[in-house]
Amino acid sequence: MAEQTEQQPIESTENRVDLEDSTNLVTFRLGSGEYAIDIMQAKEIIKMEKITLIPNAPDFVEGVINLRGNIIPIIDLKKRFNLEETEGDKNTGIIIVKIEDVDMGIIIDAISKVVSIANSDIQPPPPMLSGIGQKYIKGVGKLEDKLLVVLDLEKLFTTDEEEEETVAES
């Protein structure tokens, strides 16, 4: 294998250490937008499966799935962000993420790819950002000819909403 330069695209993310000046992101599509999360929060990506509904759950909580014996709550980010809902297709999937030591699934329209982006290419969200709301966004990343909305999963669920989910799960 040829010698690697300091900044090159990721070939494989397994056992790879992040460079200090870059961030590894999993990118995915929701509606017409491109979004990303830190790869360290993503545990795995699975195909869409049957979701068991939970009565009286917040509207963005689709329900739960049984993943290898673990009950995982499933969140619909399009509902959470008030985005236009679309019918799922063969590309629709679920990213299993870890948020504050809790595994959750987030429904996505399609997985895009894993990218390494320089921290200098991730700008803070504009103060007048509309749509999904500035508090859920870590930043906006510039990648080639498009912009990626980098989500802050820790802030997606406030304490009140986490309590609602706990009540809904009981």
Side-chain angles (χ1 to χ4, degrees), residues 34 44-45 58 73 75 78 87 93 95 108 126 161:
E34 284 286 324
E44 64 183 298
I45 300 161
I75 308 303
K78 284 195 264 185
E87 283 296 314
I95 300 178
I108 58 168
E161 288 161 344

Side-chain angles (χ1 to χ4, degrees), residues 2-154:
E3 269 195 42
Q4 298 180 345
T5 58
E6 249 181 55
Q7 297 225 347
Q8 69 176 2
I10 299 175
E11 293 171 9
S12 169
T13 58
E14 291 181 14
N15 302 322
R16 187 152 183 114
V17 177
D18 289 351
L19 297 174
E20 280 184 32
D21 60 346
S22 68
T23 302
N24 293 332
L25 301 170
V26 175
T27 64
F28 54 92
R29 188 171 43 78
L30 279 180
S32 60
E34 284 286 324
Y35 297 84
I37 59 171
D38 190 312
I39 196 165
M40 299 308 290
Q41 291 180 306
K43 291 181 67 176
E44 64 183 298
I45 300 161
I46 60 173
K47 64 182 171 58
M48 185 56 114
E49 57 182 74
K50 184 173 177 4
I51 298 171
T52 303
L53 300 177
I54 301 294
N56 298 318
D59 68 332
F60 58 87
V61 177
E62 287 295 304
V64 296
I65 61 169
N66 181 345
L67 183 64
R68 295 183 294 279
N70 295 315
I71 304 302
I72 309 287
I74 303 299
I75 308 303
D76 187 335
L77 287 182
K78 284 195 264 185
K79 286 182 181 176
R80 181 74 176 107
F81 297 156
N82 297 315
L83 297 173
E84 181 180 335
E85 292 188 45
T86 55
E87 283 296 314
D89 62 23
K90 65 181 173 64
N91 295 320
T92 302
I94 299 171
I95 300 178
I96 305 298
V97 298
K98 186 172 272 304
I99 302 172
E100 296 179 5
D101 294 328
V102 176
D103 288 346
M104 294 185 160
I106 54 176
I107 298 173
I108 58 168
D109 287 336
I111 195 72
S112 295
K113 58 185 171 180
V114 175
V115 298
S116 182
I117 188 167
N119 290 337
S120 60
D121 285 337
I122 300 174
Q123 304 295 315
M128 291 188 274
L129 192 65
S130 61
I132 69 172
Q134 184 178 7
K135 68 181 178 178
Y136 305 131
I137 300 176
K138 222 178 243 186
V140 178
K142 293 178 272 183
L143 183 66
E144 298 158 2
D145 61 340
K146 61 184 168 189
L147 295 177
L148 285 174
V149 177
V150 182
L151 299 177
D152 188 341
L153 292 181
E154 303 290 332

Side-chain angles (χ1 to χ4, degrees), residues 158-168:
T158 64
T159 306
D160 291 341
E161 288 161 344
E162 286 171 355
E163 286 172 9
E164 282 178 33
E165 286 175 29
T166 304
V167 169

